[in-house]
Amino acid sequence: MSRKKEQKNIGAVMVAGGGIVGMQSALDLADSGFYVYLVEKSSSIGGAMARLDKTFPTNDCAM
Amino acid sequence: MVEVGRHPNIELITLGEILKVDGEPGNFTATIKKKPRYVDETKCIACGECVKKCPKKVPDPYNAGLIKRKAIYVQYEQAVPLKYAIDPEHCLKLTKDKCGNCEEACPTGAIDYGQKEEILEINIGAVILSSGFTPFNPSEYDNYQYSSFKNVVTAMEFERILSAAGPTQGEILTIEKEPKHPKKIAWLQCVGSRDINRAKNEYCSSVCCMYAIKESLIAKEHLGKDFEPSIFFMDIRAHGKDFEKYYERAKKEGVRFIRSRVHTISEDPKTETLRIGYLTESGKVEKEDFDMIVLSVGMTANASARQVADNLGIKLNRYNFVKTDDLMPVSTSRDGIYTAGVMQGCKDIPQSIVEASAAACYAGMKLADARGDLVKEKKFPVENSIKDQSPRIGIFVCNCGANIGGIADVKSIVEYAKTLPNVEYVTENLFTCSQDTQTNMSEIIKENKLNRIVVAACTPRTHEPLFQETLRNAGLNPYLFEMANIRNQCTWVHSKEKEKATAKAKELVKMAAARASLLEAIPDISVNVGNKALAVGGGVSGITAALSLASQGFFTTIVEKSDKLGGAAKHIAKTSNQEDVQTFLADIIEKANNHPNVEVLLNAEVTDASGFVGNFETNIIHNGEEKTLSHGIGIIATGGDATDTEEYLYGKDARVTKWNDFEKAFDKADNPQNIVFIQCVGSRDENRPYCSRVCCTSSVMKALDVKKKFPNTNVFILYRDIRTYGEKERLYKEAREAGVIFIKYDLENKPIVTSGKKYLEVKVFDPILQTNLLIEADLINLATAIAPSDNKKLAAAYKLSVNEDNFFMEAHAKLRPVDFTTDGVFVCGIAHYPKPIEESIAQAMAAASRATIILSKSSIRISPLVSSVDKEKCIGCGLCVEVCSFAAIILEDVEGKGLRAKNIEASCKGCGLCAASCPQKAIDMLHFKEKQIFASIQAAA
Ligand SMILES: Cc1cc2nc3c(=O)[nH]c(=O)nc-3n(C[C@H](O)[C@H](O)[C@H](O)COP(=O)(O)OP(=O)(O)OC[C@H]3O[C@@H](n4cnc5c(N)ncnc54)[C@H](O)[C@@H]3O)c2cc1C
Ligand code: SF4
Ligand code: SF4
């Protein structure tokens, strides 16, 4: 740690954007000992992928 | 998604907008504006009564505006949180103070028109930005005729048309008064990408070729063999893992690929048929008619990205994506703030997920000393033993508003349920899942000493975890629970046959109760975790993963086969953004050699391994000596290398080089006349049906270097498709501007190289000039295929799978790109698939992030739904050991009995293959025992 201050770091992370990427970051962090605030602009999480029918190359369901 | 919504340590702030982030890394304060939902989240139970009464229709952005929704809405059925929201722009109450219907309709009083905007401040140590992208909007560009002709749609719209949950329930129909099934659909590629004239987006969006192929295949599936899909393209960019095979499959299944430039789209005003005018490769003018045109629109930087960047003071690149360095992927210009996904640049889902985990890894490294400080754990009361108790079943029948109650006769289901064996208590609820009903249910269980619970309601998919938690709150083991699916599989499908629906619901309840009588409590399983790590392979990926783990306090051993660290990167001068690879490599090698938490073993190789997540024992040979390493997780980073070839005189004529050997040959050359690069040598053919991903960019960069040194040298790149995906497209453009000549060849018509005294002669057919060219080359460089290291031994040691091309196979190609199906082992770098350095680094960090989830705990809980062996019935035949793909059953010597099967709980996935294979019926699956399953089948009979 190159920072000079003595104060301890804060064990929480803010993830901005609740699409598939934000959800993955949030889960990794929350599962490894951090508190996560997941901030999403719209009324629910899910983002673009929830809108796709099936996804390449496995053609399985996007949900 | 549901997992995120239910996670005790993830707090969702929806309708939120980040205004600013003050402070320093490790201790930031973020200010967030939270817009009102006008619905109290704690009260809304998502019954949908409000929507029925709302009179105001609004175009539905979720369905790309193709249909309407109401002013009070959820985005889609499975939304998280599943809480309604009012759209303040359209709500009659909020805009005109009329209506108020939803407030009256809501059974829980959740509607609150008076909610106000709030400003929140949160204290955090790091920030991850993942706000995505905006699809390119073609409506401003009249050449696509998107605004003029109805049957010109964007790919996003077409996705919704294909979706079973979309506006046409998945039926593909043209958009007109009398919709019909289209016979011919054309996809136009690169709409808003690779276009400097109109859209002004010079980059390639990376994903549209693949999604167009996907859409055409699915359309073909829906519309049958007479349907003719055509894709108009410049280059097909199938540069991802298994993409090339997908492309080949599409060709076989009748998708037409037309290499061309489209110049006009017109419509026959009478028949509304669309006409595409285009130029073929050889410059011929053609036209063809279609029923529908899908625009393969690219991705552009989110309009709000610029806002966020301004608010947070981070830099954007020239395309308005968040700026990062190749050698520090996902790190923004502001320390402590990271980014992932398309907000950073165009990429597909697997790569986005990799970056998501990589960003989590950076944040974890930054905040390692504060790990565990702020997390909460859910506490449950001590579990009551039900041993020796006879079953006392409680049945809760849900009306789900009118979803069930409006169709089936719930009262009669309740009366019927009371007559079933072992049933002690039956009740109905309007909404079983509502918060107060849950609290109530817990009390009822305790009061009536119920020891098996059945909920007859919606679906276990979304609601089982919730009810299981209620059981735990009441002191019951969560596996004493069974759900009867009387909504999704009953009243929804039989909404017009009310009596039949009621009868079926009764049957389903009877089946559930019969099974419930036999359910057993299953204790949690937890295993202790060793907190050391092993990285196999000491290239960029292995070193990066090791350093990421070491800096978080986890001791990591790197096992490297050769006598040096560095791997393939040793021969690479710079990244595609001209960053210096050798300085970087020297730096990480030095760090690895000196880090107290890193042990480097050169000339070392894994021979075999045993154990399971948290507890691996790996045997290695190091400098000829055998050693055993104990570790909690393993990272596979064995990379790969350029292959040799017999083609094009390689190995026979010294003027023919491959890959980075070119630089040496070129250094000696004095003002050469002609230099030829041949692409796809041994890639994308029968033997290696995959694209090596990095070679197009590498050759284009080399060609530019030649042009810089000798502007008068003719440089030719003989290619099949140029795959400078993403922002690498800029290099391709620069190369063309610098005069590099690109000539396309086909697999059926490869270039021919012969050796002359003075020159090498290259004969190639030029499809533009429609004639054979003869090039007298001074030097030829081959982009040979990149192949993985020999992975057989490792795969066997840890029970990992490899694909047909011998790259390691991840647990899920999209959603779990660094995990294996074997828990506790992760993959990164070229061992997974060829990729450029920046992607290898990101994937190595992602692997480290996933590993940290395990290493940061002293023990982990695993699913207890595993197989169990009856040692009395087992005859030790070993069939189960053979069928298990997870090495979760072994044979052990039991004294006096001989060999007997033994299950390894930590490795078992509960798939049940072993149980099905056992000739003695000695194996049963916990929670799905044969007698439990048969009880419900017999109840149905
Ligand atoms: C020919 C070629 C050209 C490239 N050009 C570029 C470029 O121009 N730009 C760019 O960005 N990227 C380029 N790349 C990609 C880049 O090199 C990789 O992304 C990166 O170096 C991969 O690192 P890695 O650690 O995954 O694999 P590697 O670098 O291959 O490292 C793997 C290491 O594991 C060791 N190993 C193998 N098997 C075992 C075993 N069983 N036990 C122990 N150790 C083992 C190997 O000896 C090696 O040291 C190129 C790759 C190749 C092959
Ligand atoms: S070449 Fe790139 S921009 Fe063009 S369609 Fe294919 S992936 Fe999209
Ligand atoms: S040269 Fe390499 S990157 Fe380009 S298409 Fe061929 S295999 Fe793919």
Side-chain angles (χ1 to χ4, degrees):
Chain A
M1 296 279 123
S2 55
R3 279 176 305 112
K4 271 177 245 116
K5 68 180 176 144
E6 300 289 298
Q7 199 189 334
K8 208 174 166 213
N9 288 314
I10 293 174
V13 178
M14 173 172 78
V15 177
I20 180 149
V21 174
M23 289 194 281
Q24 183 68 49
S25 296
L27 281 173
D28 272 20
L29 285 163
D31 285 340
S32 62
F34 297 100
Y35 192 80
V36 178
Y37 299 93
L38 183 55
V39 183
E40 163 61 42
K41 204 170 64 174
S42 77
S43 63
S44 54
I45 58 175
M49 183 153 152
R51 232 160 279 191
L52 303 179
D53 177 37
K54 294 177 178 148
T55 52
F56 63 79
T58 47
N59 269 14
D60 53 10
C61 165
M63 295 305 261
Chain B
M1 228 147 49
V2 185
E3 211 185 330
V4 175
R6 300 184 48 79
H7 203 294
N9 292 312
I10 299 178
E11 187 173 323
L12 294 181
I13 303 178
T14 49
L15 296 163
E17 195 183 310
I18 298 161
L19 299 180
K20 59 177 181 172
V21 172
D22 297 321
E24 346 174 10
N27 188 359
F28 289 122
T29 304
T31 311
I32 299 162
K33 179 164 89 185
K34 185 169 166 54
K35 291 198 210 116
R37 180 183 282 272
Y38 304 108
V39 174
D40 184 339
E41 281 185 43
T42 57
K43 289 187 186 156
C44 174
I45 51 172
C47 61
E49 292 298 323
C50 49
V51 172
K52 289 184 201 144
K53 299 284 155 58
C54 175
K56 177 74 186 172
K57 286 188 179 157
V58 185
D60 181 3
Y62 176 71
N63 275 305
L66 293 171
I67 47 171
K68 303 221 158 164
R69 70 168 190 211
K70 296 290 186 66
I72 185 161
Y73 67 99
V74 282
Q75 284 185 298
Y76 48 99
E77 289 291 336
Q78 303 92 329
V80 173
L82 197 56
K83 305 287 172 192
Y84 281 74
I86 295 179
D87 178 346
E89 271 175 46
H90 295 99
C91 167
L92 297 176
K93 177 79 186 175
L94 293 170
T95 52
K96 305 197 180 115
D97 198 20
K98 285 182 188 153
C99 187
N101 286 2
C102 50
E103 186 170 26
E104 264 168 51
C106 180
T108 63
I111 309 290
D112 178 2
Y113 301 118
Q115 266 186 10
K116 292 269 165 327
E117 189 175 286
E118 286 175 81
I119 299 291
L120 312 175
E121 276 196 354
I122 58 175
N123 206 208
I124 55 209
V127 178
I128 294 174
L129 303 175
S130 54
S131 316
F133 64 97
T134 309
F136 174 76
N137 177 3
S139 55
E140 294 154 36
Y141 305 88
D142 53 6
N143 53 316
Y144 301 121
Q145 303 289 8
Y146 173 68
S147 309
S148 326
F149 308 143
K150 292 188 293 292
N151 282 304
V152 178
V153 299
T154 68
M156 283 313 255
E157 289 165 336
F158 197 71
E159 289 283 341
R160 294 316 299 162
I161 293 177
L162 287 177
S163 169
T168 54
Q169 282 83 46
E171 190 172 354
I172 306 173
L173 293 167
T174 54
I175 302 166
E176 54 201 316
K177 268 191 227 94
E178 282 166 39
K180 59 174 196 293
H181 292 156
K183 275 224 167 53
K184 290 177 74 181
I185 299 182
W187 277 260
L188 305 195
Q189 296 310 104
C190 300
V191 173
S193 309
R194 304 179 66 190
D195 172 3
I196 28 180
N197 299 323
R198 283 183 283 249
K200 309 246 175 331
N201 287 335
E202 66 180 9
Y203 57 84
C204 155
S205 293
S206 273
V207 297
C208 3
C209 283
M210 289 309 293
Y211 76 57
I213 296 177
K214 173 199 71 178
E215 290 179 359
S216 70
L217 277 172
I218 296 174
K220 184 104 187 138
E221 234 167 65
H222 288 214
L223 292 168
K225 69 174 188 324
D226 293 336
F227 170 64
E228 294 174 36
S230 306
I231 298 182
F232 290 81
F233 72 103
M234 295 196 276
D235 299 275
I236 286 293
R237 295 200 163 154
H239 49 275
K241 193 172 185 177
D242 291 332
F243 289 5
E244 188 73 22
K245 283 178 212 152
Y246 198 72
Y247 174 31
E248 287 300 321
R249 185 182 130 202
K251 284 196 235 168
K252 280 205 194 82
E253 292 190 13
V255 180
R256 245 168 94 219
F257 289 87
I258 305 162
R259 202 182 287 267
S260 57
R261 301 238 170 202
V262 170
H263 54 77
T264 43
I265 296 172
S266 52
E267 189 188 55
D268 184 324
K270 268 201 221 109
T271 61
E272 298 195 338
T273 308
L274 296 164
R275 172 160 297 177
I276 294 182
Y278 64 97
L279 281 179
T280 65
E281 244 184 316
S282 57
K284 263 205 353 239
V285 184
E286 298 272 6
K287 50 183 187 285
E288 193 173 332
D289 292 351
F290 292 90
D291 303 313
M292 213 173 196
I293 292 176
V294 181
L295 304 177
S296 296
V297 289
M299 302 190 277
T300 62
N302 208 320
S304 64
R306 178 145 239 156
Q307 189 62 52
V308 175
D310 277 354
N311 292 355
L312 269 56
I314 55 167
K315 288 202 184 100
L316 299 178
N317 69 13
R318 55 162 73 83
Y319 308 121
N320 283 336
F321 294 115
V322 175
K323 188 179 168 354
T324 58
D325 290 340
D326 284 345
L327 300 171
M328 287 266 279
V330 314
S331 281
T332 71
S333 59
R334 187 167 165 196
D335 192 15
I337 301 186
Y338 311 99
T339 183
V342 185
M343 191 172 184
Q344 185 272 344
C346 296
K347 55 182 70 78
D348 59 9
I349 295 168
Q351 185 59 19
S352 296
I353 300 275
V354 161
E355 289 186 353
S357 287
C361 183
Y362 268 112
M365 283 160 70
K366 184 117 265 159
L367 309 176
D369 64 341
R371 186 187 302 281
D373 284 1
L374 297 175
V375 291
K376 309 169 192 157
E377 248 188 88
K378 273 193 191 162
K379 286 251 173 349
F380 295 103
V382 184
E383 219 172 274
N384 300 320
S385 164
I386 60 151
K387 214 166 157 248
D388 306 325
Q389 288 178 14
S390 50
R392 294 174 62 82
I393 304 179
I395 300 184
F396 299 79
V397 186
C398 189
N399 279 279
C400 194
N403 271 304
I404 296 170
I407 293 152
D409 179 352
V410 171
K411 294 247 164 0
S412 94
I413 300 172
V414 168
E415 287 316 310
Y416 173 76
K418 286 182 183 163
T419 66
L420 295 169
N422 300 325
V423 173
E424 290 298 324
Y425 184 93
V426 186
T427 187
E428 65 172 299
N429 307 108
L430 187 55
F431 293 100
T432 314
C433 58
S434 68
Q435 194 68 50
D436 47 337
T437 310
Q438 289 298 291
T439 320
N440 228 340
M441 195 163 148
S442 182
E443 290 309 313
I444 292 171
I445 293 173
K446 286 188 238 168
E447 262 165 44
N448 295 280
K449 299 203 166 46
L450 302 175
N451 59 18
R452 306 285 192 291
I453 304 301
V454 172
V455 172
C458 46
T459 160
R461 233 189 87 155
T462 50
H463 281 68
E464 190 174 58
L466 176 76
F467 297 130
Q468 285 185 318
E469 199 171 298
T470 306
L471 263 70
R472 294 180 74 171
N473 282 330
L476 275 187
N477 181 282
Y479 296 101
L480 299 168
F481 174 75
E482 177 69 4
M483 219 167 152
N485 187 331
I486 64 165
R487 188 187 74 182
N488 291 22
Q489 293 178 356
C490 187
T491 55
W492 275 3
V493 267
H494 309 294
S495 57
K496 303 221 161 61
E497 313 157 287
K498 299 192 170 178
E499 268 143 47
K500 283 189 182 165
T502 307
K504 178 170 168 183
K506 285 180 183 169
E507 289 288 299
L508 290 168
V509 171
K510 184 178 171 201
M511 290 169 73
R515 186 174 131 79
S517 293
L518 297 175
L519 289 177
E520 295 163 8
I522 306 174
D524 276 339
I525 304 176
S526 76
V527 293
N528 291 336
V529 172
N531 66 357
K532 284 187 185 163
L534 168 70
V536 186
V540 166
S541 305
I543 303 173
T544 303
L547 288 174
S548 312
L549 291 172
S551 75
Q552 300 179 70
F554 306 115
F555 186 88
T556 307
T557 304
I558 300 176
V559 170
E560 164 59 49
K561 191 162 69 174
S562 74
D563 59 358
K564 268 197 202 75
L565 292 180
K570 287 189 296 250
H571 311 290
I572 298 164
K574 56 195 179 193
T575 68
S576 62
N577 283 317
Q578 315 293 335
E579 291 171 31
D580 178 357
V581 174
Q582 291 315 308
T583 311
F584 163 80
L585 192 62
D587 178 51
I588 59 170
I589 290 177
E590 192 198 299
K591 281 200 183 114
N593 282 328
N594 297 317
H595 202 294
N597 280 336
V598 179
E599 173 187 35
V600 178
L601 303 179
L602 300 175
N603 302 310
E605 227 181 316
V606 170
T607 51
D608 58 58
S610 61
F612 46 85
V613 56
N615 303 274
F616 290 104
E617 299 262 307
T618 296
N619 295 323
I620 62 162
I621 292 199
H622 174 222
N623 284 328
E625 258 172 64
E626 287 182 26
K627 264 190 201 162
T628 303
L629 302 171
S630 305
H631 54 107
I633 66 95
I635 288 179
I636 306 292
T638 48
D641 212 345
T643 51
D644 282 337
T645 178
E646 308 247 294
E647 289 185 281
Y648 308 120
L649 301 181
Y650 182 78
K652 299 186 190 83
D653 190 310
R655 293 168 292 183
V656 182
T657 51
K658 72 172 188 200
W659 284 99
N660 302 313
D661 299 336
F662 172 74
E663 266 101 34
K664 277 173 244 147
F666 176 58
D667 278 346
K668 282 185 242 146
D670 182 28
N671 209 4
Q673 287 281 301
N674 297 311
I675 291 181
V676 175
F677 292 89
I678 306 181
Q679 300 302 105
C680 298
V681 180
S683 294
R684 304 178 61 195
D685 64 8
E686 264 179 12
N687 296 331
R688 291 201 192 81
Y690 62 88
C691 164
S692 296
R693 193 172 174 107
V694 294
C695 11
C696 279
T697 307
S698 167
S699 295
V700 166
M701 286 175 74
K702 288 184 173 62
L704 275 168
D705 287 345
V706 172
K707 277 291 188 187
K708 206 176 277 164
K709 190 161 164 197
F710 301 119
N712 294 325
T713 300
N714 296 312
V715 184
F716 300 86
I717 296 188
L718 315 186
Y719 72 100
R720 289 174 55 201
D721 290 275
I722 287 292
R723 292 184 169 168
T724 42
Y725 59 94
E727 290 166 23
K728 299 172 179 68
E729 180 71 9
R730 187 182 163 81
L731 296 166
Y732 180 28
K733 187 188 119 220
E734 280 173 14
R736 276 172 305 172
E737 284 166 358
V740 175
I741 300 159
F742 289 83
I743 301 174
K744 195 193 74 76
Y745 76 88
D746 288 328
L747 201 50
E748 297 75 39
N749 204 358
K750 286 189 187 176
I752 297 168
V753 175
T754 46
S755 160
K757 257 217 194 84
K758 215 161 156 222
Y759 302 109
L760 291 154
E761 279 189 2
V762 183
K763 203 164 93 183
V764 59
F765 179 76
D766 184 332
I768 298 178
L769 304 175
Q770 289 286 310
T771 176
N772 275 315
L773 297 182
L774 200 68
I775 306 165
E776 296 181 330
D778 300 273
L779 295 173
I780 296 179
N781 194 43
L782 307 178
T784 60
I786 296 177
S789 304
D790 180 7
N791 290 321
K792 276 192 214 82
K793 233 193 263 169
L794 270 182
Y798 298 105
K799 276 260 180 178
L800 311 172
S801 347
V802 294
N803 72 3
E804 286 162 21
D805 310 318
N806 287 320
F807 292 105
F808 279 109
M809 210 149 84
E810 61 277 37
H812 188 286
K814 280 184 300 272
L815 304 178
R816 296 174 62 196
V818 300
D819 300 0
F820 278 112
T821 45
T822 304
D823 286 336
V825 190
F826 306 92
V827 65
C828 55
I830 294 187
H832 161 267
Y833 192 70
K835 52 176 70 71
I837 289 181
E838 63 272 22
E839 293 175 19
S840 287
I841 296 174
Q843 204 179 13
M845 310 240 1
S849 171
R850 306 291 297 161
T852 308
I853 295 175
I854 298 167
L855 294 174
S856 62
K857 302 184 173 70
S858 55
S859 70
I860 46 173
R861 218 183 288 140
I862 51 177
S863 165
L865 303 188
V866 295
S867 62
S868 91
V869 181
D870 183 338
K871 293 243 162 47
E872 297 304 319
K873 287 190 192 161
C874 173
I875 51 168
C877 68
L879 269 180
C880 51
V881 179
E882 256 168 61
V883 297
C884 179
S885 332
F886 309 102
I889 280 208
I890 54 168
L891 286 179
E892 65 169 4
D893 216 345
V894 176
E895 233 188 87
K897 288 206 172 92
L899 291 177
R900 289 292 177 263
K902 179 182 175 226
N903 140 299
I904 298 178
E905 292 170 335
S907 305
C908 178
K909 304 269 170 192
C911 72
L913 268 183
C914 55
S917 76
C918 177
Q920 290 293 102
K921 297 198 179 208
I923 305 181
D924 236 341
M925 304 308 298
L926 296 186
H927 204 52
F928 297 95
K929 291 194 166 175
E930 196 166 299
K931 62 174 184 191
Q932 295 164 343
I933 294 172
F934 273 92
S936 70
I937 297 175
Q938 271 152 9

